[in-house]
């Protein structure tokens, strides 16, 4: 990765640390899975870390919109730092939580797949089961794409299992 992207990742990380230290968060989610599972030549193991904020940006009849920040890395040293919004929707009278999210961010390919642009957009849906008030386990499916900002836009389809610890 070139030094300009390293500086961008450093500045974003510093900003996110400052933001996190000044906020009340409701959870940290750790996810492990497969990056770009649908491309046999580019698929890789991945690790994703999300910081899920408690602050409600907008309430709605179907759930609350809340900020989320995170970082994804692959076994091929690809990196993706992002910040965006998620919707927490709890199925009626159940312990099942559905959380779609949209998180724009900065991508660096490392030795992994070239997604065509540094600016990428991740859409994700996560289904989780609350095992107790402070812990849930879930599965996620996401797609990362540059929305045709670059000369190419191959995208990456990902899946993972996640574990969230609530504060």
């Amino acid at each position: 990765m070139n030094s300009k992207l390293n500086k961008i990742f450093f500045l974003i990380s510093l900003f996110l640390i400052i933001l996190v230290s000044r906020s009340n968060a409701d959870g940290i989610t750790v996810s492990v899975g497969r990056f770009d599972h649908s491309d046999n030549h580019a698929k890789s193991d991945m690790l994703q870390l999300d910081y899920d904020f408690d602050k409600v940006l907008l309430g709605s009849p179907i759930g609350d919109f809340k900020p989320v920040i995170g970082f994804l890395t692959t076994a091929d040293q690809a990196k993706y730092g992002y910040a965006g919004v998620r919707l927490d929707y709890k199925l009626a009278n159940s312990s099942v939580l559905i959380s779609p999210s949209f998180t724009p961010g900065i991508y660096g390919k490392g030795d992994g797949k070239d997604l065509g642009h540094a600016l990428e957009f991740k859409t994700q849906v996560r289904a989780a089961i609350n095992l107790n008030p402070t812990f849930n386990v879930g599965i996620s499916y996401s797609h990362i794409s540059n929305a045709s900002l670059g000369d190419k836009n191959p995208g990456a389809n990902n899946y993972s299992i996640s574990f969230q610890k609530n504060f």
Side-chain angles (χ1 to χ4, degrees):
M1 183 184 307
N2 67 35
S3 64
K4 185 175 181 179
L5 276 179
N6 282 332
K7 288 176 186 176
I8 291 170
F9 278 120
F10 173 77
L11 291 174
I12 289 172
S13 299
L14 184 61
F15 171 74
L16 295 178
I17 289 167
I18 291 168
L19 186 63
V20 166
S21 68
R22 298 186 175 272
S23 302
N24 294 327
D26 70 352
I28 293 177
T29 304
V30 177
S31 303
V32 292
R34 181 66 65 155
F35 179 83
D36 206 15
H37 73 87
S38 56
D39 184 342
N40 287 331
H41 301 291
K43 61 184 170 184
S44 181
D45 293 333
M46 74 174 198
L47 173 68
Q48 180 175 318
L49 178 65
D50 288 336
Y51 198 87
D52 303 310
F53 291 86
D54 190 34
K55 179 180 180 172
V56 176
L57 297 174
L58 177 68
S60 78
I62 61 170
D64 294 327
F65 289 90
K66 298 178 179 181
V68 61
I69 60 173
F71 186 78
L72 179 151
T73 187
T74 72
D76 295 327
Q77 290 81 43
K79 295 169 180 62
Y80 181 60
Y82 50 88
V85 65
R86 76 181 192 284
L87 171 70
D88 285 342
Y89 174 71
K90 188 171 188 176
L91 295 181
N93 299 322
S94 76
S95 59
V96 176
L97 182 69
I98 306 295
S99 297
S101 63
F102 174 73
T103 52
I106 303 297
Y107 177 78
K109 71 175 188 159
D111 294 328
K113 186 172 186 175
D114 182 0
L115 293 182
H117 203 274
L119 178 60
E120 297 285 334
F121 304 92
K122 179 168 71 75
T123 53
Q124 177 174 294
V125 65
R126 180 173 174 256
I129 297 174
N130 290 322
L131 300 178
N132 65 49
T134 63
F135 185 76
N136 67 44
V137 63
I139 56 171
S140 299
Y141 191 84
S142 66
H143 178 76
I144 299 174
S145 169
N146 67 39
S148 296
L149 293 174
D151 291 336
K152 61 181 181 174
N153 184 20
N157 298 308
N158 320 296
Y159 64 82
S160 61
I161 184 168
S162 57
F163 307 91
Q164 181 182 34
K165 173 67 176 156
N166 300 313
F167 300 106

